[in-house]
Amino acid sequence: MKISHFGISSMTALAASMAVVMPFQANAQSAMEQQYASLPTYAGDDLGVTVRDGVTTFKLWSPQAQEVKLNIYPTGRNSAPIMTMGMLKGDNGLWTATVPEVLYGKFYTYHIYQDGRWRGETPGVWAKSAGANGQRAAIIDLSLTNPEGWDADKGPETKSPVDAVVYEMHHRDMSIHPSSGIANKGKFLAMTEHGTTTPTGEKTGIDHLKELGITHVQILPSYDYGSVDETNLPSNQYNWGYDPQNYNSPEGSYSTNPSDPAARVKEMKEMIKAFHDAGIGVIMDVVYNHTFIGEGSNFDLTAPGYYYRHRQDGSWSDASGCGNETASERQQMRNFMLNSLKHWVNEYHIDGFRFDLMAIHDIETMNEIAAELRKINPDIILYGEGWTAGDSPLPADKRALKDNAYMMPGVGVFSDDIRDAVKGHYSRQEDRGFATGKPGNEETVKIGIVGATNHPQVDYSKGNNSKKPYALSPAQVVNYVSCHDDLTLTDKLHKSMGDTVSIAKRQRAAKLAQTIVLTSQGIPFIWCGEEVFRDKKGVHNSFQSPDSVNAIDWNNKHLYPELFDYYRNLIALRKAHPAFRMSDAKEVARNIKFDRVNVPNLISYSILNNANGDRWREIKLVFNGSEMTQTVNVPKGNWTVIARDEQINPDGLGTAKGGKMEVAPVSALILARE
Ligand code: CA
């Protein structure tokens, strides 16, 4: 998300400074926590509304409410209720109302009375769809929203998360530019269109993704978020969507008709089915860590105080940097996250989740999520940002932090290590990295290469960010050099290398950077459009920038065919060779051997022993991030040249005999032998 991330070291310092005042805080905190812990909770998955045998039943969890009213509306907005009734208090903090009618097509809100006042109408936290702008929950028959063949729909088999090649995408970035040739621009349906091309005939949309060869898309927030006015779509507002409003409904502005609550559900399912039919899995970005607004949010209007953390003085704590943070350690928030995730898996066939600011959540919750979701889909992919954007009342040893990844074996974390080491610091825009000639990043790049696992030749004390191997397995690490946050790789290379450096030279650096990512152990991850050198006009925090900044200009695919081919071949290389996809840390330690080179911006290593069942006995990889041609010693033998001087071909570019070999400036040399 858009917030600048504190490094682990600064978080540790904050936690240490808090410890001084802990005795006083602990008492007040524990009194509040005891009060919340004493409230009854409900783990059932039938909160919200269910329709069965001609009866519509409403259930709301609101353990401290003194009175609750239910309103039924004929439309999603701008109408008076056709029915208002009191709800009955039952066990488990539940309030129930039943109407002996099938109310499909109608909308509802709850209104609770607590602590001497009516709190304000809310669709509750279990709206599975909603009226335009999400103020009223919709009552729809979800079974009627299924596309043809939905029962047999299934994501790709993914034996280990390291077998995935993840492509992060925003619905609007992908299709809104005229050059996309797509009809449903900025909509879920955009990715259901086949045969779309640029004006010069290059494939776009889902055909482009198939051509590129990625295995999974990671879609930016696609639940109902608050920042885009769904009643004014012609104004073409843009937002990343890190402002959750209704967690269990798709976003209305991505549907062709936000006023029709079935349309957003149906169209999102059609998009997912189109991806699945193309062999591509769908990972969804989820933002349970905070809500768009704190006071007046659906959480706040149904159970005031309960779902959020507060500071000692009663103010809202703010580890999200967005004004509030949720409290996953409280049982009903944990139940909510679990049931919400299950809803997306069961109803939408989502194949994985990316947890925004995951360290706001507690470790126990993340482990429970991993265990429960793997019961439904053993292949599900789970990872998140192992950091917060500010301090939290949740103690650091309970946070789902990158450094605590070893306590969450089923959950992965993003590697800011490889990210910053390869391209330069994420926020210091002029800073360079390994691929752009700055020395001193070699050991941190090696941390990336071994997937942040324990390796006898990697000296973690020289790591720029992490000082210890934090992953139990490469399957716990997402390797990347750019994402929606911060400068795109294109813009980063521009800013750090300078205006006078040619596009061709910047693309050399891009190829080297992504070669390191795509050949490293772990889960490789790229940001949409990098394969065509998309930029964001130098805007780093483009969360609400216009399309003119965020849209991918697909004409680039015509301008830079060699760059696109490089990405395509690089992905094909990874997919064809299990040696790049070891999921066992011991295998990584045994099969990866670094060469002593002692030259700045030069790394040379081998993947040995037909690693992970590879037909290649040995793969030699040399990365030269310097401006000079370097010479390395390669064992004599019959080698196939896979990559050399910014060319790559998994089937081979030629042969080599080993011995002293030259590596061109800012490029990768990859050799293989059987
Ligand atoms: Ca919305």
Side-chain angles (χ1 to χ4, degrees), residues 413-553:
V413 292
F414 282 94
S415 171
D416 56 345
D417 307 271
I418 195 170
R419 179 194 70 193
D420 291 358
V422 169
K423 69 167 179 178
H425 192 264
Y426 70 94
S427 70
R428 295 197 299 270
Q429 299 190 350
E430 280 78 26
D431 188 47
R432 293 193 186 200
F434 176 88
T436 39
K438 184 181 173 185
N441 293 296
E442 296 81 6
E443 208 65 22
T444 311
V445 173
K446 285 163 69 179
I447 292 174
I449 289 169
V450 300
T453 58
N454 196 4
H455 188 284
Q457 288 178 289
V458 178
D459 182 356
Y460 277 82
S461 72
K462 291 182 189 155
N464 295 344
N465 297 0
S466 299
K467 299 293 182 192
K468 63 168 191 180
Y470 51 86
L472 299 172
S473 149
Q476 272 191 289
V477 174
V478 180
N479 289 321
Y480 69 123
V481 285
S482 78
C483 63
H484 68 275
D485 272 318
D486 311 317
L487 293 178
T488 63
L489 184 59
T490 306
D491 286 333
K492 173 68 178 173
L493 295 171
H494 187 174
K495 292 255 182 183
S496 60
M497 297 173 83
D499 288 330
T500 55
V501 171
S502 68
I503 286 176
K505 279 200 162 175
R506 289 181 213 148
Q507 291 188 349
R508 274 190 91 88
K511 288 176 184 172
L512 174 59
Q514 298 288 20
T515 305
I516 297 171
V517 168
L518 267 298
T519 55
S520 286
Q521 305 298 318
I523 308 166
F525 172 106
I526 63 173
W527 169 231
C528 58
E530 287 185 352
E531 69 281 13
V532 298
F533 216 52
R534 70 84 58 97
D535 63 70
K536 289 193 310 190
K537 310 285 189 290
V539 179
H540 68 99
N541 190 6
S542 65
F543 76 101
Q544 58 179 3
S545 298
D547 293 333
S548 57
V549 168
N550 282 307
I552 299 169
D553 181 349

Side-chain angles (χ1 to χ4, degrees), residues 131-134 223-230 243 245-246 250-253 264:
N133 284 343
Y223 52 73
D224 183 22
Y225 58 79
S227 53
V228 168
D229 183 357
E230 298 176 8
D243 45 82
Q245 188 174 347
N246 291 297
E251 161 63 12
S253 67
R264 61 179 74 185

Side-chain angles (χ1 to χ4, degrees), residues 144 157 268 275 282 342 416 418 467 523 585 616 637 674:
L144 300 180
E157 272 184 33
M268 186 168 174
F275 278 128
V282 180
K342 285 181 185 175
D416 56 345
I418 195 170
K467 299 293 182 192
I523 308 166
W616 285 342
E674 298 197 3

Side-chain angles (χ1 to χ4, degrees), residues 23-46:
F24 175 63
Q25 284 199 334
N27 289 337
Q29 287 283 0
S30 66
M32 193 181 70
E33 290 304 329
Q34 272 173 19
Q35 190 210 340
Y36 287 134
S38 71
L39 296 173
T41 58
Y42 182 69
D45 63 359
D46 58 349

